[in-house]
Amino acid sequence: MTQSAIYSRVVGTGSYLPARRVTNQQLADELATRGIETSDEWIVARTGIQARHFAAPDQTSSDMAVEAARRALDMAGLRADQIDLIMVATSTPDFVFPSTACLVQSKLGITNGCAAFDIQAVCSGFAYAMATADNFIRSGAYRNVLVIGAETFSRILDFNDRTTCVLFGDGAGAVVLQASAEPGILSSALHADGSHSNILCVPGNVNAGAVQGEAFLYMDGQAVFKLAVKVLEKVAHEALEKAGLEASAIDWLIPHQANLRIMTSTARKLDAEAKMVVTVDQHGNTSAASIPLALDVAVRDGRIKAGHTVMIEGVGGGFTWGAVLFRM
């Protein structure tokens, strides 16, 4: 007797942005009090960003993750206690440990003993988490998986460095992946090259109760740009090849929302500029949260519909990159 194949499908999406919205002009005015000069025109021209959201002082990555998760669960029509695995992609966890995923489990009131862990691949984290969850479901180990990207990057920004502090924002996005007899996730491709770890990093650690090294984000913008454009095109084609599809099959492209120039360059090479979902203008770079945030926006405004083929792809510190191709 042949056993039926198991696939994973996205059955719910959700997102959350903190209440405090900061426009480029507001940020420029704030930086001016520090003697740092920038402007709305300068930021938009280089990044495409117009605004971002910053978490409240007492608001954590797990707080935002829980809000996004609740909205995804509501769309999926599931109770929290029906989840049997929680994965949180984050580079800004609440604590060194326990994991943010365990905190999310507690805050959702889940007491069924489901597995929970974090994934750290920076801006590629959500793609890594989606691919990992898909493999868990295909193996038969889990049926309902909550996959979340959540970040409070405002906590690791040096507001004396205008080249980085204008780029990032806070937020969370979530999806519920569920076992299905019908194909949902069609393919994925994940990669890393640790030899480039120095071009995007937070080179600090906790030692003897204090931070050793540098606790602020550092980025070599030009190096990141060159590498990102190269690997994003390649990994997109790799995922398409694995699924046996051409780029024309993509209905919607959701790249990591880092920089509009990087996103447009990749989309142009896939002939998918008109199919690209853009939220970087209003959210800034929210790292692992950017893709699920953009996905939820496009699902809820009606652009992404059942049956559409979606490509997500991200690149981040590590250096990591990955893509996931799925059908809604």
Side-chain angles (χ1 to χ4, degrees):
M1 184 175 180
T2 304
Q3 185 176 0
S4 299
I6 303 173
Y7 302 97
S8 66
R9 295 189 66 88
V10 174
V11 294
T13 67
S15 61
Y16 174 82
L17 291 165
R20 185 188 173 201
R21 181 176 182 270
V22 181
T23 66
N24 287 345
Q25 190 57 57
Q26 289 171 323
L27 185 58
D29 291 344
E30 184 177 323
L31 293 176
T33 65
R34 299 168 175 258
I36 308 297
E37 182 180 343
T38 191
S39 68
D40 174 62
E41 294 77 15
W42 188 89
I43 297 170
V44 171
R46 285 160 179 78
T47 69
I49 297 168
Q50 300 174 27
R52 75 287 293 147
H53 292 250
F54 286 157
D58 61 347
Q59 195 170 34
T60 65
S61 291
S62 70
D63 290 334
M64 295 188 294
V66 166
E67 294 303 319
R70 285 176 175 148
R71 294 169 189 180
L73 286 165
D74 183 64
M75 183 184 289
L78 292 176
R79 302 185 312 273
D81 63 7
Q82 291 177 281
I83 294 296
D84 45 20
L85 173 63
I86 301 170
M87 300 168 59
V88 177
T90 185
S91 300
T92 51
D94 293 18
F95 306 117
V96 174
F97 68 83
S99 70
T100 302
C102 282
L103 300 175
V104 168
Q105 181 197 55
S106 175
K107 291 178 181 181
L108 286 174
I110 299 174
T111 58
N112 61 10
C114 74
F117 62 90
D118 290 355
I119 283 186
Q120 221 291 38
V122 199
C123 304
S124 305
F126 190 77
Y128 266 64
M130 282 276 281
T132 303
D134 175 51
N135 281 297
F136 269 127
I137 290 173
R138 285 174 181 263
S139 76
Y142 300 105
R143 179 169 180 79
N144 296 314
V145 181
L146 186 56
V147 184
I148 306 169
E151 303 283 15
T152 47
F153 256 59
S154 60
R155 307 271 164 80
I156 57 172
L157 298 179
D158 180 357
F159 284 93
N160 292 309
D161 177 9
R162 73 167 183 169
T163 63
T164 57
C165 72
V166 301
L167 303 178
F168 296 90
D170 303 333
V175 302
V176 175
L177 280 180
Q178 188 173 72
S180 172
E182 298 295 324
I185 292 186
L186 305 174
S187 66
S188 61
L190 305 176
H191 296 281
D193 184 348
S195 69
H196 297 290
S197 61
N198 62 321
I199 66 174
L200 178 56
C201 57
V202 179
N205 57 74
V206 177
N207 189 330
V211 174
Q212 181 175 351
E214 183 57 69
F216 289 131
L217 179 147
Y218 167 79
M219 181 172 69
D220 180 338
Q222 288 188 333
V224 169
F225 186 95
K226 290 178 182 178
L227 191 56
V229 169
K230 176 183 175 181
V231 301
L232 285 173
E233 179 192 8
K234 189 174 180 180
V235 80
H237 283 294
E238 181 182 354
L240 285 164
E241 185 177 348
K242 284 184 176 182
L245 297 174
E246 299 293 329
S248 58
I250 298 172
D251 292 305
W252 295 102
L253 174 67
I254 307 181
H256 164 51
Q257 309 284 311
N259 179 303
L260 190 57
R261 292 187 298 158
I262 294 175
M263 295 162 59
T264 301
S265 175
T266 303
R268 188 178 297 123
K269 292 174 181 178
L270 294 171
D271 194 25
E273 284 184 87
K275 305 172 181 179
M276 183 170 67
V277 177
V278 177
T279 57
V280 68
D281 56 332
Q282 297 302 314
H283 298 172
N285 181 344
T286 55
S287 189
S290 80
I291 290 173
L293 271 166
L295 173 62
D296 186 54
V297 166
V299 167
R300 291 179 186 272
D301 70 19
R303 276 178 286 175
I304 295 180
K305 296 178 172 61
H308 281 178
T309 299
V310 181
M311 164 79 75
I312 66 170
E313 57 174 357
V315 61
F319 207 74
T320 65
W321 62 98
V324 179
L325 188 66
F326 62 95
R327 189 165 291 129
M328 289 294 292

